[in-house]
Amino acid sequence: MTTYFIDGQFTSKDSLTISIDDRGYYFGDGVYEVVKVYDGELYTAEEHIGRLFQSASKIKMAIPYSEQQLIDIAKELVKVNEVMTGHIYMQVTRGASARVHQFPEVSVTPVVTAYAIHNPRPLSNIEGGVSVKSVDDVRWLRCDIKSLNLLANVLAKQEAFEAGCAEAIFVRDGVVTEGSSSNAFGVKDGVVITHPATNLILNGITRQVVLKLCKENEIPVEERAFTPEEMYAMDEFFITSTTSEITPVVLIDEKAVGAGTPGVVTRRLQEAFARQIPLSVAGD
Ligand code: PDD
């Protein structure tokens, strides 16, 4: 039976109770992280937990644990659930309190919940590429916060799914920002182009890994805004996230990207990425 973490305790799903007054439930008042597990080890855990603390601080919420304690909880969940390839989901809400919009009394403690789950690498997407659909970016202006409020992302992903696509690519004021649960990159004339890490996107941990790999492999990068027209004219396009790694995009709004197959720069980055995750990792 899967072991979960809630409020300082490791427990089974059956004995796990969440208050109806939890502000995550009422308002989406909380933040979260997804951390990949390869070969039974957390990948880039410090970066993810660091970002969890940054997100919490941006919404003026104090997490009742240290970064190291949360990493230890995540490691314990991986161990007891015997997860080899998968991920940790961890969220912190502002706690349970009668429903008023303003913050509750300081005595209300934020609630930490987490679990570890088996989840194979999406190898067929990584190898063959996916289709995406552009969608209006109607989100708020603090997309740098990994907030539980994901309604606009949910609606965008659903619209993409209904069009037979794997991901929605957000466009705000004539600029491509990011995916509904991923960051977006184009490649033009050998240069990797991606939206800068402003309030309009989540600065993905995988995005940061990719930028580092570009540097190490002497692949030029431009962090700048680009339009949908530029996006359609890219030689290559790919999306990144903790669970999708580096996924090539071969079709955008039903138009082929470049030759309609994953490009060479994308492949080089995928190979460089694969080299720095545990070697014995296969599909699952
Ligand atoms: N999503 N942008 C958005 C809006 C995201 O939700 C995510 C991740 C990313 C990529 O971030 P990272 O590389 O740190 O995973 C970018 C996670 C995986 C999710 O919501 O499931």
Side-chain angles (χ1 to χ4, degrees):
M1 201 191 292
T2 311
T3 300
Y4 291 71
F5 178 85
I6 179 165
D7 254 355
Q9 282 185 341
F10 291 92
T11 183
S12 71
K13 200 174 196 173
D14 295 342
S15 44
L16 188 153
T17 41
I18 310 277
S19 167
I20 193 169
D21 278 333
D22 191 288
R23 290 177 64 92
Y25 182 60
Y26 282 143
F27 302 114
D29 186 358
V31 295
Y32 77 104
E33 276 299 326
V34 179
V35 187
K36 189 75 194 167
V37 178
Y38 293 115
D39 239 17
E41 301 283 342
L42 297 170
Y43 174 72
T44 56
E46 285 81 12
E47 289 83 347
H48 281 281
I49 300 301
R51 186 173 64 186
L52 186 71
F53 274 78
Q54 283 165 21
S55 295
S57 140
K58 287 172 181 175
I59 67 161
K60 302 182 169 69
M61 186 177 75
I63 297 178
Y65 295 93
S66 68
E67 295 191 23
Q68 189 55 52
Q69 280 174 316
L70 291 190
I71 290 175
D72 290 344
I73 289 162
K75 282 185 179 163
E76 183 64 16
L77 286 169
V78 170
K79 198 170 122 200
V80 294
N81 291 301
E82 297 176 355
V83 171
M84 290 306 287
T85 301
H87 65 257
I88 290 278
Y89 177 82
M90 185 176 274
Q91 71 168 45
V92 191
T93 69
R94 207 182 298 275
S97 179
R99 188 184 179 278
V100 291
H101 285 64
Q102 70 272 23
F103 295 171
E105 299 295 319
V106 281
S107 57
V108 173
T109 312
V111 174
V112 177
T113 31
Y115 60 81
I117 189 168
H118 171 79
N119 184 17
R121 299 174 64 204
L123 288 180
S124 77
N125 285 354
I126 289 174
E127 273 151 30
V130 296
S131 309
V132 300
K133 181 182 193 303
S134 62
V135 173
D136 261 358
D137 193 347
V138 298
R139 297 175 300 165
W140 70 333
L141 294 170
R142 293 306 308 274
C143 301
D144 53 311
I145 301 173
K146 204 161 170 55
S147 146
L148 292 178
N149 275 280
L150 289 174
L151 195 47
N153 307 60
V154 165
L155 291 174
K157 182 82 92 184
Q158 182 62 23
E159 191 177 326
F161 264 58
E162 284 173 10
C165 295
E167 177 61 307
I169 300 295
F170 281 130
V171 178
R172 190 195 292 267
D173 299 332
V175 163
V176 175
T177 52
E178 63 178 337
S180 72
S181 63
S182 60
N183 290 113
F185 296 72
V187 182
K188 189 68 186 172
D189 300 327
V191 180
V192 169
I193 307 165
T194 194
H195 194 284
T198 64
N199 62 309
L200 298 183
I201 68 159
L202 181 78
N203 188 7
I205 304 300
T206 323
R207 175 186 184 277
Q208 295 171 49
V209 170
V210 165
L211 294 181
K212 190 169 133 261
L213 294 174
C214 285
K215 204 166 181 191
E216 286 169 11
N217 290 276
E218 294 177 357
I219 298 169
V221 172
E222 285 177 15
E223 287 183 76
R224 63 163 177 88
F226 58 92
T227 63
E229 291 65 38
E230 280 184 273
M231 171 170 72
Y232 298 134
M234 293 287 183
D235 302 324
E236 304 177 33
F237 206 80
F238 61 88
I239 52 176
T240 67
S241 79
T242 295
T243 45
S244 67
E245 301 182 2
I246 300 172
T247 296
V249 171
V250 291
L251 215 58
I252 307 175
D253 293 337
E254 298 181 350
K255 297 183 240 305
V257 180
T261 50
V264 285
V265 176
T266 310
R267 284 290 189 237
R268 270 184 75 195
L269 287 168
Q270 287 181 314
E271 283 157 20
F273 185 87
R275 276 196 295 274
Q276 44 90 65
I277 60 176
L279 278 178
S280 63
V281 171
D284 57 5

